[in-house]
Amino acid sequence: MNNIKLPADDNSCGWFEILSPEYQQHMSEPNPISGVEKTDWLVIGGGFVGMSATHRLAELNPEQRIVLVDAQKIGHGTSGRNSGFVIDLPHKSDLVGDDIERKRKVIELNRAAIQYLEDKIMRHGIECQWSHAGKLQGAVSERGVKFLEHFQRLLKELGEPHEMLDQASLRKVVGTQYYQQALYTPGCPLMQPAALIRGLLAHVPENVSVWEETPILNLERRNGTWVAQTANGQVHAKNVILGTNIYTEQFGHMKSRMLPIMTFASMTRPLTDEEFSAYGGTADWGLTPADHAGTTLRMTQDRRLVVRNQYRFVPNYNSDLATREKIHVMHRESLEARYPMLKAVTFEHTWGGVLSLSSNSQAFFGELEPGLFSSCCHNGVGVARGTISGKLLAEMASGGDSKLQQNMQAVSGMPARLPPEPFLGIGVRARMAFAKWQSRSEV
C-alpha cells in the first residue's frame, strides 16, 4: 500500500481550538506503538463510527481487549468539524425518493443514535453544550420556500411535529430579517462536536487502549489475523472495524465509489453584551438551509456565530491556506449580509472538513471481508448515522442481531462506481458550479 493518503486537516478548526486545555491534551497511550500489539479488536478511526463502535465493543466484550487508533488527535478530524447538529429527521440524501417506510427507518435509527449519545453524556457528565434546541430550516428566496413546503408535506405525511415561522417570528430567534421563513422541528439536539467526541474519548471503558496520532500505513490479513502496520510497530487483531469514511479506500475498499467533498466554516469570537443586545436574537440555535447548497448558521451557547457554506471537490482530502483565506472573505460577506450590525465582530477560526458523497445516495454498512467491518459514505449526515452504525457494527461483529440492525441494512447499500479522472473532476466541478449558481440567492 504505497503512497497512502493520510489525514492532513488544517489546524484552525474552531470547535477544537476553543476546547478547554484538559480536553485538548492527549487522552491516549503516552508512547508510540512499537513491536507487536495483540488485540481481539482493532478500531481504526476515532470519529463517531469508531468511537461508538469502541464503546459498544467494550460493553459487549468486557473480557476482551479493544485497541482504538487514529491518525490525528481524536476530534481534530471530520468528527470535530461538523456544525453540531444531531439530526433526527431525513436530511439531504435521505429525503430522496418516495419510500416513506425507508424514511421511517431512518428516523428510528437517528433517534436511537441521539438516545445513545445522550445516555453517555448524562452518565459521564460530558460538557459539550448538548441541548434540545431543535433545528430551523431557513429559506431566503422563493426557491428556498418551495423546498420548505415540500419538506413540510413530508413531515405531515410522517406525522412529525413542526412549526412554520414567518419572517417576524424567526427574527426574534435568529436576530435577522434575511430569511423569508423557516420550518422548525424540535427533535434535533445541538452540541459542540469536538467537545462531545473528546468527552466520549475520556470515558472509554478500561479494556480499551487508545493511540492518537498513529496512522495505519498498511492493513492486510495474514493466516486469519489482521495485521495493521504503524510507523514503528504492528497491531495484530482478530477483527477490525473501519471508522475511516473517505479514507476507507486507502485500505483497498470502496475505491472510486466515494466523492471527497470539503465544506468550510468560520466561527466568530464571543459577542459582547452590547453586541448581543444589538443582534437582538437568542442564543443556542441552529439553522440549516432549505436549499442544501445554501448557508448553515449556528449561534452557540457562548454567543459565537458559526457560518458554513462553500464546497470544494478535494481529491487529496485537504485544502490550502490560500483557499481558506478566500473562503474566509466569502463567509464575512454571508455574515454581514445577515447581521450588518455585527461588522466589528471578527472571525477567530476558518476551517475545512471532508465528507464523502455517493452518486446514488447510498451509504455502506457491513462486512467487507471476513473479520473486517465498515460504515462509510454517510452523504453529509454523519453524526447520527455514524453513531448508530458504529454501535450496530459492534453488535453485528459480536454476533448480535436486532431490529435496528436490520433497519440499518435495509437503508444501506453500495455506493455506485464513479467515472475515472479526468472525467470525474470535470463533471463534479461543473455540477457543483451549477448548483452554486442555482442556489446563489440562498447563500
Side-chain angles (χ1 to χ4, degrees):
M1 192 178 297
N2 297 320
N3 300 318
I4 185 171
K5 294 178 184 177
L6 295 174
D9 289 306
D10 60 75
N11 291 314
S12 58
C13 175
W15 297 118
F16 196 90
E17 294 301 315
I18 66 174
L19 288 174
S20 60
E22 62 268 24
Y23 260 24
Q24 286 193 17
Q25 69 186 7
H26 280 286
M27 298 179 188
S28 60
E29 301 288 342
N31 300 310
I33 293 174
S34 60
V36 174
E37 291 282 341
K38 293 185 177 180
T39 184
D40 298 286
W41 302 89
L42 171 62
V43 180
I44 303 175
F48 286 101
V49 172
M51 191 59 67
S52 59
T54 298
H55 274 264
R56 190 59 177 148
L57 284 173
E59 294 162 359
L60 293 171
N61 307 283
E63 303 303 317
Q64 297 183 2
R65 187 186 186 204
I66 295 98
V67 168
L68 170 64
V69 297
D70 196 287
Q72 304 182 102
K73 268 195 173 183
I74 290 173
H76 189 267
T78 300
S79 62
R81 292 169 180 267
N82 62 75
S83 296
F85 296 80
V86 193
I87 296 174
D88 62 327
L89 296 170
H91 189 64
K92 294 188 176 179
S93 63
D94 286 329
L95 287 169
V96 175
D98 299 321
D99 187 346
I100 198 71
E101 289 309 310
R102 183 186 186 280
K103 291 176 173 58
R104 293 188 196 280
K105 289 182 173 72
V106 167
I107 292 171
E108 186 175 2
L109 288 162
N110 289 346
R111 288 179 176 160
I114 291 168
Q115 188 61 58
Y116 188 68
L117 287 172
E118 187 156 80
D119 288 347
K120 296 287 184 187
I121 291 165
M122 297 300 108
R123 185 184 313 160
H124 300 300
I126 297 172
E127 296 292 337
C128 62
Q129 299 189 31
W130 182 269
S131 78
H132 290 279
K135 181 174 73 70
L136 295 160
Q137 197 163 9
V140 179
S141 65
E142 288 304 316
R143 173 182 168 84
V145 169
K146 289 179 181 178
F147 280 112
L148 286 189
E149 291 170 346
H150 176 266
F151 190 40
Q152 184 179 38
R153 288 193 294 271
L154 173 62
L155 293 175
K156 289 178 179 178
E157 187 174 3
L158 289 166
E160 291 291 336
H162 61 277
E163 180 183 2
M164 191 72 84
L165 302 179
D166 62 19
Q167 188 177 57
S169 300
L170 181 61
R171 186 187 182 284
K172 294 177 182 177
V173 179
V174 301
T176 177
Q177 298 187 88
Y178 193 79
Y179 295 90
Q180 282 197 42
Q181 61 190 72
L183 190 61
Y184 172 75
T185 51
C188 170
L190 302 178
M191 49 81 181
Q192 207 280 44
L196 174 54
I197 207 75
R198 295 297 288 182
L200 292 170
L201 171 62
H203 295 283
V204 293
E206 292 184 357
N207 56 330
V208 177
S209 298
V210 180
W211 274 275
E212 299 178 82
E213 297 184 319
T214 304
I216 299 299
L217 305 177
N218 189 59
L219 180 67
E220 60 183 342
R221 201 161 185 248
R222 301 178 190 166
N223 301 318
T225 297
W226 286 99
V227 178
Q229 183 71 47
T230 69
N232 300 302
Q234 295 178 345
V235 181
H236 291 196
K238 297 175 184 177
N239 297 281
V240 176
I241 289 181
L242 296 177
T244 47
N245 203 20
I246 190 65
Y247 295 94
T248 303
E249 64 181 16
Q250 300 304 308
F251 297 107
H253 296 278
M254 298 293 156
K255 285 197 167 186
S256 300
R257 293 184 183 275
M258 296 186 287
L259 280 171
I261 302 296
M262 182 165 281
T263 66
F264 296 86
S266 292
M267 174 185 286
T268 71
R269 60 168 172 75
L271 271 60
T272 64
D273 288 346
E274 183 178 356
E275 289 164 345
F276 192 77
S277 178
Y279 146 76
T282 63
D284 195 25
W285 52 262
L287 181 148
T288 62
D291 185 333
H292 299 319
T295 297
T296 296
L297 284 178
R298 278 285 309 276
M299 171 63 84
T300 66
Q301 292 178 7
D302 56 345
R303 299 181 176 181
R304 297 174 184 268
L305 277 163
V306 179
V307 175
R308 190 181 83 170
N309 59 39
Q310 304 300 320
Y311 299 81
R312 299 291 186 274
F313 174 54
V314 285
N316 292 321
Y317 311 158
N318 55 47
S319 65
D320 56 31
L321 178 60
T323 297
R324 293 194 301 277
E325 287 177 342
K326 290 177 183 177
I327 286 172
H328 179 103
V329 173
M330 297 176 189
H331 286 170
R332 281 236 57 92
E333 292 172 354
S334 294
L335 180 69
E336 292 180 14
R338 290 159 173 79
Y339 301 105
M341 75 292 285
L342 299 179
K343 288 185 177 181
V345 178
T346 57
F347 283 131
E348 287 188 338
H349 309 282
T350 296
W351 68 92
V354 182
L355 57 87
S356 58
L357 304 178
S358 61
S359 62
N360 61 348
S361 301
Q362 290 288 345
F364 179 82
F365 170 89
E367 193 170 16
L368 292 165
E369 293 184 45
L372 180 65
F373 301 84
S374 174
S375 175
C376 60
C377 203
H378 299 139
N379 291 288
V381 288
V383 178
R385 183 65 169 252
T387 295
I388 193 59
S389 64
K391 175 179 181 290
L392 295 174
L393 271 183
E395 294 173 1
M396 170 191 282
S398 301
D401 194 9
S402 65
K403 180 188 174 187
L404 279 177
Q405 188 176 310
Q406 292 164 19
N407 284 353
M408 180 61 74
Q409 290 171 310
V411 303
S412 303
M414 179 59 74
R417 191 170 293 280
L418 299 168
E421 291 286 15
F423 306 106
L424 175 63
I426 293 170
V428 171
R429 291 184 179 95
R431 184 171 178 178
M432 290 174 66
F434 181 63
K436 182 179 180 179
W437 178 82
Q438 282 185 308
S439 307
R440 61 196 182 279
S441 61
E442 297 292 314
V443 174

